[in-house]
Amino acid sequence: MPILVDEFEGSSLASIAFIPSLLYGISTGAGPVASALINRYGFRTVTMSGGVLSAIGLAISAAANSILFLYISVGVVTGILLNLL
């Protein structure tokens, strides 16, 4: 966390700690989405696509220049897609 505070000056520890909280909250709350996709496309397809797309979401977050970008890339995008694994 101290590295992110240094990288994103003006950000508080609370705003940075919200990133993994958002990730875990969305990944556990998106269960109905995963269930619907599994019923439609099957376990293998959903799991493989979720793994590849969540890796892309984490790779995109490496280019983050703001906390809001991390909220979206890590918290929302990766949170939803990790639920598919």
Side-chain angles (χ1 to χ4, degrees):
M1 294 282 188
I3 295 171
L4 289 176
V5 172
D6 294 338
E7 183 71 28
F8 301 108
E9 294 177 9
S11 299
S12 66
L13 283 175
S15 65
I16 292 173
F18 187 64
I19 297 167
S21 298
L22 191 62
L23 172 71
Y24 298 137
I26 288 179
S27 68
T28 57
V33 173
S35 178
L37 289 173
I38 288 170
N39 286 336
R40 179 156 173 89
Y41 298 109
F43 287 108
R44 288 185 182 179
T45 305
V46 173
T47 301
M48 291 301 293
S49 61
V52 169
L53 293 174
S54 63
I56 291 171
L58 286 175
I60 289 172
S61 69
N65 55 5
S66 70
I67 294 294
L68 181 62
F69 189 82
L70 286 176
Y71 286 161
I72 294 169
S73 66
V74 175
V76 177
V77 173
T78 307
I80 291 172
L81 295 172
L82 278 177
N83 187 33
L84 302 179
L85 295 179

